[in-house]
Amino acid sequence: MTPLEKVRAKVASQKTALPALYGDVDFDATPERFTDDPKASVAPRLRNLDPDKVALIKAYTMLGDVVADAYAALMPRYGFRPLIQMLTKACDDGIAAVPDAPPELAAFIADMEAAPDWLDMDLVREGQRLDRNAAANLGPFAIRGAFIATFMNKYAALPMALTGTLSSDTAARRVNETATFFTTTLLPGSLERHGAGFRAAAMVRLMHSMVRFNALKRSDRWDVGVYGVPIPQVDQMPAGLIPIFLMSYKIVGQGRKTFTPEERARVELARYRCFLLGLPEDLLADTPQGVVDTMNARSGTLRAGFDDATCGELVRATLNAYLPPDERPENKLFDKVERRFSKVFFLRNFMNGDVAAARRMGVEIGPRDFMMFGLVALLVTSQLMAYRLARNVPGVADLADAHLVAKLKKQLARYGHAEFTSDAAAYRPAGSAKPAAA
């Protein structure tokens, strides 16, 4: 079998492996969300895409997460809280520590433990050290803007709408959970087998599978013929690989074909983090051109579509969300500053500076926002540069890194405890005033 045939076989196997969840899904059909017409895609400027990459993206558009989905499908028998408790115990203490652990849980943990051949944990640790700088100094200001970017397409955004994220309170929790995950995975030792980042990845992976289960079985808004499989593997690439894509795009533009040692470390971290989240190796390219081609194939084949009732409401809910843990004066001030910065960050990084297009999405950006962005960018840039310089000074590098770790831990305390759950009670069938039964 060719690699593509193996992928297609894996996609088709979902029907027989999980008939209760995928038995009614036609995996031979092409969902409306996929298009081979560049003019209809979210990135019409992309032409002459790699046909092999396009075929790969098309196949993975219909792939969920075989092992995590099987575990999530146990919700009717166990309830979602017990599933979370068993998974947490297995991550912390090993599968043997879970009394009467279901085989689906054992398979889930084994899948995460099966380190890929390409993995170099020394590089991953170096990537964590390098990425701590931006996460500590830029992350708190940019997370909302990056989160809004995930709502730009109705085909990819609907799962978030179904989970109740249309309310500002829930949107705040989702933003903080996202920040918690990425911050946690940068702490020293967090991505080791029993580390907090490993556990967080497992929880995010289960949450995604719970969304798939609830969307397919408990919501009449999900149409497989239109949207495909909820949260397919290709929709997890942007969150995990956007920084690497932007870096690779710049490298390709410079005419380079390989990563420098520091760039390689950052790539290795991103690839391993995505692996823990369940992404197939086929989607985790290890060259600058490969990363660009894979991400472009995804963007160039995702049908454009902005539904105000879904995308617009998600954007507005996220913009209106109050992210700090309380309303102390310093937190209220931070909220005002961060909110203005995030809007311009979103505009510059995801809307190509098109103010009118951002306004159509519900993101109003004015002179004060640009002024605040400039002031914060100046401060953040000076901090980033200071830590980069400190990294090359013997005796100072370790002290600077320890300070970054302390800042990240303080941020985690602000974000609060992450639930990483998807309760069926949040799923409202179309036209229904009552939540679906859990």
Side-chain angles (χ1 to χ4, degrees):
M1 295 177 68
T2 67
L4 181 58
E5 288 173 337
K6 291 180 180 179
V7 174
R8 288 171 175 164
K10 185 176 182 179
V11 170
S13 73
Q14 295 173 111
K15 183 182 286 286
T16 53
L18 288 171
L21 184 59
Y22 291 118
D24 296 330
V25 177
D26 181 1
F27 288 106
D28 291 326
T30 300
E32 180 184 303
R33 62 164 282 158
F34 181 89
T35 178
D36 54 10
D37 179 5
K39 295 180 181 178
S41 78
V42 298
R45 63 181 178 79
L46 294 177
R47 296 286 195 278
N48 302 317
L49 298 173
D50 183 333
D52 291 335
K53 294 289 187 183
V54 169
L56 198 65
I57 294 297
K58 183 177 181 179
Y60 279 127
T61 296
M62 295 296 285
L63 181 68
D65 184 333
V66 176
V67 294
D69 289 350
Y71 186 58
L74 299 177
M75 275 195 290
R77 187 193 314 175
Y78 288 91
F80 80 99
R81 288 290 177 189
L83 289 186
I84 292 166
Q85 292 166 356
M86 287 191 292
L87 179 58
T88 300
K89 184 71 172 176
C91 287
D92 291 344
D93 304 318
I95 189 67
V98 181
D100 301 317
E104 292 86 352
L105 175 58
F108 186 0
I109 293 296
D111 186 73
M112 293 187 67
E113 290 176 335
D117 294 338
W118 49 261
L119 180 63
D120 183 335
M121 282 304 295
D122 287 335
L123 274 180
V124 171
R125 298 181 191 105
E126 177 65 8
Q128 289 176 303
R129 189 178 70 86
L130 293 169
D131 276 9
R132 284 197 274 268
N133 187 3
N137 294 304
L138 175 62
F141 295 100
I143 184 64
R144 189 196 304 257
F147 200 73
I148 292 173
T150 64
F151 305 144
M152 295 170 64
N153 180 269
K154 70 177 184 179
Y155 299 101
L158 183 57
M160 291 299 291
L162 293 180
T163 60
T165 311
L166 292 176
S167 72
S168 293
D169 288 343
T170 308
R173 180 163 67 89
R174 292 299 190 210
V175 172
N176 284 329
E177 283 181 345
T178 301
T180 294
F181 169 70
F182 284 103
T183 302
T184 299
T185 59
L186 295 179
L187 295 178
S190 65
L191 292 181
E192 309 300 329
R193 167 56 187 88
H194 295 284
F198 184 98
R199 181 177 66 246
M203 297 299 291
V204 170
R205 197 165 167 178
L206 175 58
M207 178 186 70
H208 288 161
S209 288
M210 287 178 168
V211 170
R212 292 188 196 99
F213 181 88
N214 286 322
L216 289 171
K217 307 303 292 185
R218 289 169 166 161
S219 174
D220 63 4
R221 290 184 62 189
W222 195 269
D223 185 338
V224 174
V226 174
Y227 301 104
V229 170
I231 317 182
Q233 295 297 341
V234 293
D235 281 359
Q236 297 186 68
M237 287 197 305
L241 296 175
I242 273 292
I244 302 306
F245 168 69
L246 296 175
M247 180 179 74
S248 297
Y249 192 83
K250 182 178 179 180
I251 292 170
V252 171
Q254 295 171 344
R256 289 196 286 132
K257 297 183 178 180
T258 58
F259 295 112
T260 66
E262 286 195 356
E263 291 166 348
R264 166 59 62 189
R266 294 184 61 204
V267 170
E268 193 79 356
L269 166 63
R271 295 178 79 217
Y272 183 52
R273 188 161 51 197
C274 286
F275 164 81
L276 291 178
L277 290 173
L279 269 76
E281 186 175 348
D282 292 335
L283 300 180
L284 304 177
D286 61 354
T287 66
Q289 190 66 59
V291 172
V292 169
D293 288 346
T294 304
M295 289 289 283
N296 279 349
R298 189 263 182 184
S299 298
T301 57
L302 176 62
R303 187 178 299 277
F306 185 87
D307 177 5
D308 189 69
T310 299
C311 305
E313 285 299 317
L314 285 168
V315 169
R316 290 185 285 273
T318 304
L319 283 176
N320 292 330
Y322 183 79
L323 303 183
D326 55 54
E327 295 192 4
R328 287 182 294 172
E330 60 269 32
N331 283 335
K332 293 175 74 172
L333 175 61
F334 174 82
D335 176 70
K336 291 181 179 179
V337 172
E338 174 271 327
R339 209 180 288 249
R340 291 184 183 279
F341 180 92
S342 284
K343 289 195 292 183
V344 181
F345 179 85
F346 166 75
L347 176 73
R348 289 164 61 98
N349 288 277
F350 302 103
M351 297 298 293
N352 295 318
D354 191 335
V355 176
R359 184 180 299 114
R360 288 194 294 271
M361 291 187 66
V363 184
E364 293 285 346
I365 303 173
R368 292 183 180 180
D369 299 314
F370 285 105
M371 181 180 69
M372 186 58 69
F373 178 86
L375 291 174
V376 174
L378 183 62
L379 174 63
V380 168
T381 300
S382 64
Q383 291 175 323
L384 292 172
M385 289 302 298
Y387 281 103
R388 285 173 188 159
L389 291 173
R391 196 167 66 213
N392 299 315
V393 180
V396 176
D398 289 342
L399 291 175
D401 187 57
H403 191 257
L404 289 174
V405 170
K407 288 184 69 172
L408 292 176
K409 289 181 177 179
K410 187 176 180 180
Q411 288 172 14
L412 285 171
R414 284 174 55 86
Y415 298 144
H417 175 69
E419 292 287 341
F420 296 125
T421 61
S422 178
D423 189 347
Y427 289 72
R428 296 179 182 273
S432 173
K434 295 182 180 180

